[in-house]
Structure formats: C-alpha cells, structure tokens
Amino acid sequence: MFSCVQSFKEHTFYDFLNHVQESKYIEETHIDDRSIRHNLFSLIISQKIRFSESMRIHRKLYSLLKYEPSELGSLDGLMTCEREDVIDIVGSKKYEIMERVHYYLISCLNIDGSYATLNEEVIRNAGKLKGIGKWTVQCCLLRKGYPLSKWVDNDASVNTILEMLRQEWNNNVSNKQVVFHVDQRHLNGTLFSKFWVITRGSLKERRDWVVHSVHHFLE
C-alpha cells in the first residue's frame, strides 16, 4: 500500500479519471468488422447477464452454426437455424427480440443488399424496437466505431470497473481524499468507451489493470 504523500493533495479521483480518459495507452474501442445484425444479436444475448455467461452462449451458437472453436464466428445465419434449437440456447424472449431485429434489418435494405440509410441511423432506429434499449443501441454504435457522447449508465461490467477503481483509490489515499460516491458529471462517452475495452479482458486482467492504473497515477 502506498503512503500518503504530498501529491495526493494535488490530485483528486476525478483528476485520475481524466488521466484515464486522455491516456493514449487505452483504445477507445475495438471496432467489430462483423455486420450490424451480428452485433445486435450478440448484444441481445448479453443483455442482463454476466460476461462469462454471454461467452458461453456465444460458443454454443457458434457451434450450432458449424464454426470451429478457433474461428471468429458470426451470428448472421442464426435465423436460418431451427427455431427450437436457437431457443434452447438463448431462450424464447431473446429469440423474439432477435427475430424483430432480423426483419427490421431486412426492411432497411435496398435491392442490392446495401442499407438504404447510414449505418449509424440503422443502429439508432433499432432502438424503437421492443426489447432494444439504450444500452444495446449505444454499445452497438461503440462496436461499429461511432463515438459516444454520453456515459452509458446501465452497463454492469463497466460500472464494476468504476467501482473497483473507486475502492482501489480509497485504499491508497488519505481520508479526506476518499470517494464515497462517483459524481456522474465527471463521466462521459470517451471514458465509458475506454472502460468498455478493459471489460473485454479476464477478471484477473481487469483487476491487474485497476491496481496498476491507480498506483501508477499516485506514484
């Protein structure tokens, strides 16, 4: 544990968050070159479940679609699989949402198979569908490389990273620097995007990043 030194009086937790936001060592996102359909399906699967559970379901679906474990799979062909086979893996509620997305995306196509409007508009308008909320839309935009203007406040994995950082900060500063609640005014889309990248790692990698980031800043 680090001792309290003079620099702690000069820097706050929000200085630290700003430092993370401006860091060139953390990408703002990993752009997913797979289709809008794949990304929306993938995010529907991930709604309200743990990241590890989402990955388990993805692996089952890729197997159903005949991908080898070493391949980068795509969920594009999911609606060509037997309905009951997919429902057995994702559940009937999420299947119904995927089905709505599937037909919505078909309705967005020109005769030549291209989208009639900009990809960003296609994604944003998907938010009008039942079962597609702000989290799904914002995270799909992020995956496709569109910058976020606002913090997405209902992402459990990102909020866990934020809480881990708060706790690590509190463990290493003087009492008057302790942060009890994170002021939402200091959170924005760029910071969310960087935390999103961190959540793609394993739990150990996330913990290691949290400890290293806080300690490095306080050195």
Side-chain angles (χ1 to χ4, degrees):
M1 181 166 301
F2 286 72
S3 61
C4 297
V5 296
Q6 184 68 27
S7 63
F8 290 175
K9 297 179 180 178
E10 300 169 2
H11 297 296
T12 68
F13 182 67
Y14 302 110
D15 293 327
F16 166 67
L17 291 183
N18 190 57
H19 168 75
V20 173
Q21 178 183 317
E22 295 178 353
S23 172
K24 303 299 182 183
Y25 299 103
I26 311 170
E27 299 177 44
E28 287 191 30
T29 186
H30 293 306
I31 295 175
D32 194 320
D33 292 328
R34 288 169 290 186
S35 69
I36 292 174
R37 176 179 278 101
H38 163 83
N39 279 282
L40 285 173
F41 281 3
S42 176
L43 289 163
I44 291 164
I45 292 164
S46 301
Q47 290 173 351
K48 298 181 179 179
I49 61 174
R50 291 181 178 274
F51 182 68
S52 57
E53 176 66 7
S54 171
M55 291 299 97
R56 185 187 67 81
I57 292 172
H58 277 76
R59 287 193 293 272
K60 283 190 173 184
L61 292 174
Y62 291 144
S63 177
L64 180 65
L65 289 162
K66 308 301 183 185
Y67 285 102
E68 295 295 327
S70 59
E71 289 185 275
L72 179 64
S74 169
L75 300 175
D76 274 349
L78 208 54
M79 290 296 122
T80 65
C81 297
E82 291 292 333
R83 179 188 179 94
E84 292 306 316
D85 290 343
V86 181
I87 289 176
D88 283 345
I89 298 173
V90 304
S92 59
K93 184 176 180 180
K94 288 191 175 181
Y95 183 87
E96 289 171 4
I97 300 171
M98 290 179 180
E99 203 168 37
R100 283 194 285 273
V101 167
H102 174 67
Y103 288 115
Y104 158 71
L105 292 176
I106 289 175
S107 74
C108 294
L109 295 176
N110 291 314
I111 294 175
D112 65 1
S114 63
Y115 286 117
T117 58
L118 297 174
N119 286 357
E120 183 176 3
E121 187 175 343
V122 170
I123 296 169
R124 290 190 184 280
N125 286 338
K128 299 175 183 177
L129 300 172
K130 183 179 178 181
I132 303 295
K134 290 182 179 179
W135 178 84
T136 306
V137 170
Q138 294 298 312
C139 290
C140 189
L141 289 168
L142 185 60
R143 283 185 172 196
K144 299 305 293 178
Y146 297 102
L148 300 184
S149 59
K150 295 181 179 179
W151 177 268
V152 183
D153 60 9
N154 57 346
D155 188 287
S157 295
V158 169
N159 283 330
T160 297
I161 291 288
L162 182 60
E163 177 59 18
M164 289 167 68
L165 287 168
R166 187 190 69 82
Q167 290 181 8
E168 189 64 30
W169 177 272
N170 286 349
N171 288 337
N172 289 279
V173 299
S174 60
N175 289 337
K176 75 173 189 175
Q177 290 280 347
V178 166
V179 178
F180 294 99
H181 301 286
V182 178
D183 189 334
Q184 296 288 311
R185 291 176 298 176
H186 293 270
L187 306 178
N188 56 47
T190 300
L191 192 60
F192 177 90
S193 301
K194 295 203 170 191
F195 284 177
W196 169 275
V197 172
I198 302 302
T199 66
R200 303 304 93 182
S202 66
L203 180 58
K204 181 181 184 304
E205 288 171 332
R206 283 176 267 170
R207 284 175 175 163
D208 288 348
W209 178 82
V210 165
V211 171
H212 172 77
S213 297
V214 172
H215 288 192
H216 179 73
F217 181 76
L218 294 175
E219 284 179 347

